[in-house]
Amino acid sequence: MMDKHAQPLLNHLGAYPFERLKKLFRHSTPNPELLHIDAGAGEPRLPLPSFVQDTLNEHIQGFSKYPPTRGNADLQRAIAAWLKRRFHLPHLDMRTQILTANGTREALFAIAHALVNPEAEQKPYVMMPNPMYQIYYGAAITAGAEAYLLPCLVDGGFEPCLDDVDAKTWERTAFIYVCSPSNPTGWIAGHDYYARLLELADQYDFYIVADECYSEIYSDTPPVGLLEVAQGLGRTDFSRCLVMNSLSKRSALPGLRSGLIAGDAKLIARFAKLRSYTGAGTPLPLQAVAAKAWADEGHVAEHLEVYRNSLRAFFDVWGKAHEPAGSFFVWLPVEDDEAFAIAAYEQQAVTILPGSYLGAEDAQACNAGSGYIRAALVDGEDKAAELAVRLKKVKV
Ligand SMILES: Cc1ncc(COP(=O)(O)O)c(C=O)c1O
């Protein structure tokens, strides 16, 4: 008899990386002689931007109202203005081409449920980089799709490799997640990469979801965005394109839970329908803070300086290595990533994430994250240097 309580799709997912990490460390204690450095989670730990407290006080009464799911007009206007400024999109329409989200995590997850047809004769593919932000994988599986993994390897500069994908696979593809700048590798999609994907999307009828959460953290020039490339190619309706961005990294406000979704009006309408069922609106006082944060570049420039100095401080100690073009993660090769993580914790009181927890096994049982560790430089310059000193001392 069929078990009515079984959750077959969810059961295909393993534990989330941080749960796995807890389990990995269950018999370990961090070296008590050292202060713990937590470089495991990508959680910025910079001072609150100065406008947060006052704006919150000013709008406190908003907690007594239900917030609109799509965001209120002030926030939508601030988001549209930022996207127009940052990505040179003069014609972006705030009414039809923008939605707000409670951070992008939930939106990146939910989008699969709006773009995948689980009743298709053959399971559709959702393409994604490998290693990846694990939400993409969970979203694809629970939406009834199959995850198609694009290996991101050091020899290819960690670019999600499109070369080996054949026509049959593209035909089955419902959509692709691109993460640029990439968590965890720091790779950035250039103009040509996005342009090629747009061509393929037209040829094989699929959508592109670009996770650009780290777009304001980069080593030299600001990364190009998917919508900007689309518009440059004459695609002013952004057809087939959705981008997600967030205040969590740019403004160091991960607890605010505020992000944006922008692009193709048809996809936005479809997503808005799904979100009218699933997505809670961001509380109004938080929307007011978010509107201020999208409008202010001063604090973002200060944060960028801290991230750049932290990366410099880390690599000054660590020495020659792959340096990320964007994001605040370092992605370092090691022999055995789990063994290294345990040793770093026990010997040096450092928490980092084994790379295999950010990858998935492909058909050849190869996990493109294995043999790497990810460390987040989120505590400023001094801690970044200290982290490099301690990681260098780890003996496996
Ligand atoms: C690649 C990537 N995308 C999206 C997110 C989600 O961020 P938030 O939900 O805070 O906007 C994260 C957070 O760590 C991330 O690393």
Side-chain angles (χ1 to χ4, degrees):
M1 208 168 76
M2 207 172 94
D3 176 2
K4 69 179 179 181
H5 296 299
Q7 298 171 313
L9 294 174
L10 195 55
N11 284 356
H12 285 120
L13 299 181
Y16 200 66
F18 295 108
E19 294 305 314
R20 292 179 71 183
L21 195 63
K22 262 192 229 155
K23 197 165 166 210
L24 184 74
F25 289 168
R26 69 191 179 286
H27 301 305
S28 302
T29 39
N31 182 341
E33 286 167 20
L34 296 168
L35 272 180
H36 180 237
I37 298 181
D38 183 1
E43 178 188 52
R45 296 189 199 106
L46 300 174
L48 272 187
S50 56
F51 52 80
V52 173
Q53 183 79 64
D54 289 348
T55 312
L56 207 49
N57 290 346
E58 207 180 307
H59 293 268
I60 205 81
Q61 287 303 328
F63 280 124
S64 61
K65 290 203 175 111
Y66 272 121
T69 313
R70 289 184 79 123
N72 69 12
D74 281 351
L75 177 54
Q76 286 179 331
R77 209 171 292 118
I79 287 174
W82 180 73
L83 285 166
K84 286 178 185 198
R85 235 180 15 251
R86 168 66 174 84
F87 296 107
H88 320 290
L89 305 169
H91 307 299
L92 188 77
D93 180 357
M94 71 174 239
R95 287 168 306 115
T96 60
Q97 294 176 323
I98 286 173
L99 285 177
T100 64
N102 281 328
T104 44
R105 179 181 177 139
E106 57 112 358
L108 285 161
F109 184 86
I111 191 64
H113 296 254
L115 300 184
V116 164
N117 173 11
E119 290 166 355
E121 211 170 296
Q122 253 190 323
K123 268 195 176 191
Y125 282 129
V126 171
M127 288 206 182
M128 63 192 71
N130 189 26
M132 85 294 277
Y133 182 47
Q134 292 283 297
I135 299 302
Y136 312 154
Y137 193 84
I141 301 300
T142 55
E146 201 169 311
Y148 190 95
L149 306 170
L150 300 167
C152 309
L153 304 174
V154 62
D155 293 346
F158 295 106
E159 176 171 299
C161 180
L162 305 174
D163 297 338
D164 300 332
V165 182
D166 59 22
K168 279 216 171 81
T169 304
W170 285 121
E171 274 158 15
R172 259 178 76 184
T173 299
F175 76 98
I176 180 169
Y177 284 109
V178 183
C179 186
S180 171
S182 153
N183 168 11
T185 67
W187 166 81
I188 289 181
H191 177 279
D192 293 353
Y193 190 85
Y194 273 145
R196 179 153 176 237
L197 268 184
L198 284 164
E199 237 177 77
L200 288 163
D202 281 342
Q203 190 178 351
Y204 294 107
D205 185 20
F206 64 84
Y207 305 116
I208 306 170
V209 174
D211 175 357
E212 297 180 353
C213 283
Y214 294 91
S215 67
E216 306 317 288
I217 304 171
Y218 48 87
S219 59
D220 41 41
T221 40
V224 75
L226 173 63
L227 299 186
E228 188 177 13
V229 173
Q231 180 185 262
L233 295 168
R235 221 179 168 93
T236 46
D237 60 356
F238 311 121
S239 59
R240 303 186 179 281
C241 301
L242 284 177
V243 300
M244 312 250 179
N245 213 313
S246 169
L247 291 173
S248 300
K249 318 296 174 179
R250 161 196 150 88
S251 296
L253 290 171
L256 186 66
R257 310 309 304 130
S258 186
L260 69 83
I261 307 151
D264 185 333
K266 278 199 218 124
L267 299 180
I268 289 282
R270 201 196 291 186
F271 199 25
K273 181 176 176 190
L274 178 76
R275 293 175 56 71
S276 68
Y277 282 89
T278 66
T282 307
L284 287 167
L286 305 190
Q287 290 195 35
V289 175
K292 278 264 166 60
W294 288 114
D296 181 76
E297 292 302 326
H299 71 289
V300 182
E302 284 167 21
H303 295 171
L304 180 56
E305 192 63 19
V306 175
Y307 291 129
R308 283 180 172 165
N309 291 342
S310 301
L311 281 164
R312 203 170 302 125
F314 182 91
F315 286 109
D316 278 352
V317 176
W318 185 262
K320 207 168 144 12
H322 158 78
E323 294 191 23
S327 88
F328 46 57
F329 296 112
V330 293
W331 185 238
L332 306 169
V334 295
E335 194 73 35
D336 175 333
D337 49 312
E338 278 193 327
F340 190 95
I342 293 176
Y345 190 62
E346 292 180 349
Q347 296 165 21
Q348 296 297 328
V350 163
T351 300
I352 38 112
L353 205 58
S356 54
Y357 292 10
L358 296 168
E361 279 196 356
D362 64 17
Q364 285 75 45
C366 172
N367 179 328
S370 288
Y372 283 89
I373 51 143
R374 189 194 78 176
L377 306 189
V378 286
D379 279 314
E381 194 175 336
D382 295 346
K383 280 264 179 70
E386 171 73 12
L387 179 66
V389 168
R390 292 208 208 164
L391 288 180
K392 277 189 102 157
K393 290 186 188 159
V394 173
K395 299 241 172 345
V396 181

